[in-house]
Amino acid sequence: WGGALNWQDLVVLAITYTLTGLGITVGFHRLFTHRSFKTSRPVRALLAVLGSMAIEGSVNDWVATHRKHHNHSDAPGDPHSPHLDPAPGWRGVLRGLGHAHVGWMFRGKDKANPVRYAKDLVADHDLALISRTFPLWVAVGLAVPFGLGLALTGSIVGGLTAMLWGGLVRVFILHHLTYSINSICHVFGRRRFATTDESRNVFWLALPTFGEAWHNNHHAFPTSARHGL
């Protein structure tokens, strides 16, 4: 404290986490994947940029993979189901959780083709451009916390520590909370609705994921903009 971490770093972490987290849940998930609501062209573009700054993949790739997940939820073809490992008992559960959390990203066959699963986004000129320029938004996602830290502290060192916490640490936290929806929320928690998959509500994950952990609710009503019901 006072060296590699200061109050300015926590402010930048909170700002960038909130903005990019909303870019994922409101933009990538509820708007672009499930078309739960409509909004203006500038807001669509802003949400696509904020979601891209979360560094979870381009908007077209993210949406395609998530639509494939809903089409085959916890069945063969699901990119990140924790329930398809053939190993028995707890060994299978742990391997399934590992696959659902991060393992699937290292297997190319689990990723979805946007031309098949996100044709509407591929045909949208704004989203196609934002998707193609994904590396630019990765850089912006790291430059913004540096700029905020520089503005708050007036020093290069303050900008660098803000980029560490509001950039790299923020990405780490947001990624693993997002991955927890794929893993934890398909194994542990409450099944409020009798869906055809193993999606579950996990109350303690709901707040840091902006409602995403009401996952059984979401699978029961995927086009509802409000997951908490």
Side-chain angles (χ1 to χ4, degrees):
W1 181 260
L5 176 63
N6 299 282
W7 69 265
Q8 295 95 336
D9 301 319
L10 297 180
V11 169
V12 174
L13 171 60
I15 291 172
T16 54
Y17 180 87
T18 300
L19 290 176
T20 56
L22 291 175
I24 291 294
T25 182
V26 178
F28 278 24
H29 193 196
R30 306 182 200 210
L31 176 60
F32 298 123
T33 300
H34 296 290
R35 293 170 282 197
S36 302
F37 64 95
K38 295 181 180 180
T39 187
S40 64
R41 181 180 178 186
V43 173
R44 284 172 58 87
L46 176 61
L47 288 170
V49 166
L50 290 175
S52 299
M53 287 167 56
I55 317 181
E56 294 186 8
S58 70
V59 57
N60 286 2
D61 288 336
W62 199 103
V63 168
T65 298
H66 194 70
R67 287 179 178 174
K68 184 179 181 182
H69 163 64
H70 274 266
N71 285 355
H72 307 280
S73 186
D74 288 326
D78 187 337
H80 43 64
S81 172
H83 296 286
L84 302 180
D85 193 286
W90 281 103
R91 183 163 167 254
V93 171
L94 292 175
R95 281 177 41 171
L97 284 168
H99 167 77
H101 199 74
V102 293
W104 70 274
M105 291 183 291
F106 299 98
R107 302 196 328 172
K109 66 179 183 179
D110 294 312
K111 297 179 181 179
N113 184 353
V115 174
R116 177 178 177 185
Y117 287 97
K119 288 189 288 187
D120 54 327
L121 273 63
V122 172
D124 186 303
H125 295 299
D126 294 339
L127 298 182
L129 175 62
I130 293 170
S131 189
R132 284 198 307 272
T133 54
F134 173 66
L136 169 64
W137 307 119
V138 171
V140 171
L142 298 176
V144 166
F146 175 81
L148 289 173
L150 183 64
L152 287 172
T153 65
S155 72
I156 296 294
V157 172
L160 291 173
T161 58
M163 184 170 68
L164 170 64
W165 292 92
L168 301 180
V169 174
R170 178 262 306 174
V171 168
F172 178 84
I173 295 171
L174 183 60
H175 279 199
H176 282 286
L177 286 170
T178 300
Y179 304 157
S180 294
I181 306 302
N182 299 336
S183 57
I184 292 173
C185 291
H186 275 263
V187 175
F188 306 102
R190 179 188 176 198
R191 298 189 71 235
R192 182 179 179 187
F193 298 99
T195 58
T196 57
D197 52 44
E198 292 296 326
S199 57
R200 296 168 186 272
N201 295 332
V202 181
F203 76 94
W204 56 269
L205 266 176
L207 185 61
T209 59
F210 302 101
E212 288 292 320
W214 300 121
H215 201 53
N216 178 247
N217 294 356
H218 169 60
H219 272 262
F221 305 100
T223 58
S224 172
R226 184 175 179 180
H227 294 180
L229 302 179

